[in-house]
Amino acid sequence: MQREQSIIGRSSDRAAKRKFIINEIRRLGQLSRSALAESTGLSPATVSSIVSELLEEDLVVEDTASVSAGGRRPTPMRINYTTRLAIGIKLKSDSIECLLTDMSTAPIDKLTKALPSLDPEAVCQICEEAIAQLMETQARDTKNLIGVGVSIPAFVDAETGVCKTSHRFGWKDIHFAGMLQNKLGIPVKIEDDSHAFALAHALFGVGINHASFATVAVGEGISYEMILDGKLHRGNTGAAGKLGHMCHDPHGARCECGRYGCLQVKNSISGMLSTLDLNDPQWSFRTRLDRLLACLASGDEKALSTVRDAGYTVGKYLADMTAVTDVDPVVIGGEVVELGEYFFDAFNKALNKYSLHGPIRTYIDNEDNFWSRGAAALVTQEVFGF
């Protein structure tokens, strides 16, 4: 409500009002001009003027007004997500996933390319090649591409586009956004991969109906992110959400961050693979995960026990986090979703056992391309002013 009042009161800030209207249509669906005026509190004249701009730019379209016994109803409008394109790139330890989407981050096409080197220049080159290949395959005009979002397993300064530290990549103070933007000639945004995952859900997932929620992503690492009153909680340094780096076992193995016994050392997908001696660096991460799935399907007791233990441990840590933050619901995503009941039976058991505030609503993100959709959301959030 405070945000709405501030926007309504800033008569000169047309851009803020424009984004406010776009977001109301995104959030509520089809709305007429009169419904928009009522919903936003803006004057009908202001709404009509801004809507005319959006129609001219093809950002919104009018649907056919229905006719009832009382006459013609107001014409509803909706966002035209298909007129603009975004690219989302997820950087993984051995590959990139490049996804072409519309403005809602709905996938159009994707490709995966191996990373022969983690040198920043080499990674930029692979990204450039992947984007060109996707656009050519789809015969898409680059003038409709509003930008590229890149999600990185790292501490990222999203404002400056600098990757401050990536333990996994061995990067420090790399201006990756600027490097790639110079190659492409279009805007590039970078973000911590788990932050990007949360942003995607804020824009087009559970955030449509929940102003505050959390996301947990379990893949090569483990994260816990919070959207609070519609805003991503980044923390003082922008590094909030590193659940996987909580100390789980002070006498445990060394983590990629250099410390010992972090939660993700044993309980991330990579940690489970290491426990099972499936983390051969000659195999791609995808191959290693497929081998784990095959072990589970065959009833391999060590694999079953390892995954159950990880599920129970992560479930307990999530219960502890919700006791501190009191954020609900929670979206679960990452490659761990592929483990299904092998992981989630134990996860839910621990979550229910240790929850302080009663049952926690959880939603599983079963969609494909969860990481790269999050990267694409870095671009589309600029349109919506999120």
Side-chain angles (χ1 to χ4, degrees):
M1 181 61 70
Q2 290 179 346
R3 178 174 178 270
E4 293 178 10
Q5 290 172 345
S6 68
I7 290 175
I8 293 168
R10 290 153 63 189
S11 58
S12 62
D13 197 345
R14 186 176 180 86
K17 293 174 181 177
R18 172 187 165 105
K19 288 183 176 180
F20 189 30
I21 286 174
I22 291 174
N23 271 297
E24 282 297 278
I25 303 174
R26 173 187 64 83
R27 188 172 64 88
L28 299 175
Q30 293 184 333
L31 290 173
S32 65
R33 290 172 176 79
S34 59
L36 266 173
E38 181 178 351
S39 172
T40 61
L42 297 171
S43 71
T46 298
V47 169
S48 181
S49 174
I50 291 175
V51 164
S52 294
E53 288 180 5
L54 298 175
L55 286 168
E56 186 174 341
E57 295 170 26
D58 210 19
L59 277 173
V60 300
V61 291
E62 292 181 323
D63 283 338
T64 304
S66 59
V67 179
S68 65
R72 185 178 179 84
R73 294 179 177 176
T75 303
M77 292 167 298
R78 57 179 172 81
I79 293 176
N80 189 3
Y81 289 112
T82 62
T83 57
R84 309 289 197 279
L85 301 172
I87 293 247
I89 298 176
K90 161 61 175 169
L91 300 189
K92 302 182 180 182
S93 58
D94 59 3
S95 63
I96 69 165
E97 182 178 271
C98 187
L99 182 71
L100 178 66
T101 79
D102 66 14
M103 281 201 304
S104 72
T105 72
I108 297 171
D109 196 5
K110 77 167 184 177
L111 62 85
T112 299
K113 291 182 78 72
L115 281 179
S117 167
L118 292 179
D119 174 76
E121 283 289 351
V123 174
C124 271
Q125 183 63 36
I126 294 294
C127 290
E128 183 182 21
E129 292 171 4
I131 292 167
Q133 187 175 336
L134 266 184
M135 297 300 286
E136 182 179 355
T137 299
Q138 287 293 316
R140 300 286 181 146
D141 194 330
T142 54
K143 72 178 182 181
N144 295 324
L145 184 60
I146 57 177
V148 174
V150 184
S151 66
I152 309 173
F155 299 99
V156 169
D157 185 334
E159 294 274 337
T160 62
V162 173
C163 173
K164 303 297 289 183
T165 304
S166 175
H167 301 298
R168 200 167 301 160
F169 284 17
W171 291 1
K172 188 170 180 62
D173 295 327
I174 301 297
H175 200 316
F176 191 79
M179 292 169 61
L180 186 55
Q181 186 165 310
N182 288 339
K183 284 181 174 291
L184 300 175
I186 56 176
V188 174
K189 301 289 183 181
I190 69 169
E191 183 58 278
D192 174 304
D193 53 3
S194 54
H195 285 185
F197 178 69
L199 282 169
H201 277 281
L203 282 167
F204 304 110
V206 298
I208 295 292
N209 298 312
H210 299 280
S212 297
F213 64 93
T215 62
V216 171
V218 183
E220 291 184 279
I222 304 174
S223 68
Y224 176 88
E225 303 291 347
M226 294 185 294
I227 301 290
L228 303 176
D229 294 326
K231 296 293 183 182
L232 174 67
H233 176 69
R234 297 179 182 275
N236 289 335
T237 64
K242 305 301 183 185
L243 178 61
H245 291 291
M246 292 183 69
C247 184
H248 173 61
D249 177 6
H251 305 292
R254 184 168 179 156
C255 179
E256 63 184 13
C257 71
R259 303 186 306 161
Y260 290 86
C262 290
L263 177 66
Q264 68 185 40
V265 169
K266 288 189 66 175
N267 299 288
S268 64
I269 294 290
S270 293
M272 296 180 230
L273 293 171
S274 291
T275 299
L276 296 167
D277 295 323
L278 295 174
N279 231 358
D280 190 326
Q282 294 184 355
W283 301 337
S284 69
F285 182 75
R286 180 69 254 174
T287 298
R288 285 174 265 166
L289 179 55
D290 286 340
R291 289 180 181 237
L292 171 58
L293 292 171
C295 289
L296 293 171
S298 69
D300 183 292
E301 188 52 46
K302 185 178 180 181
L304 292 169
S305 175
T306 297
V307 171
R308 280 196 301 264
D309 289 348
Y312 193 87
T313 301
V314 174
K316 182 183 181 301
Y317 271 82
L318 176 56
D320 291 344
M321 291 300 297
T322 57
V324 174
T325 63
D326 194 24
V327 177
D328 176 80
V330 180
V331 180
I332 317 295
E335 287 84 358
V336 75
V337 171
E338 296 187 49
L339 303 185
E341 63 184 14
Y342 300 115
F343 179 90
F344 284 104
D345 283 354
F347 171 88
N348 290 324
K349 182 178 180 180
L351 184 61
N352 293 330
K353 178 178 179 179
Y354 293 105
S355 172
L356 176 64
H357 303 300
I360 299 168
R361 291 172 295 173
T362 57
Y363 301 100
I364 307 298
D365 183 352
N366 285 310
E367 296 291 328
D368 195 11
N369 314 311
F370 37 81
W371 292 120
S372 46
R373 280 190 295 112
L378 302 177
V379 177
T380 61
Q381 70 169 329
E382 297 297 312
V383 175
F384 300 106
F386 186 80

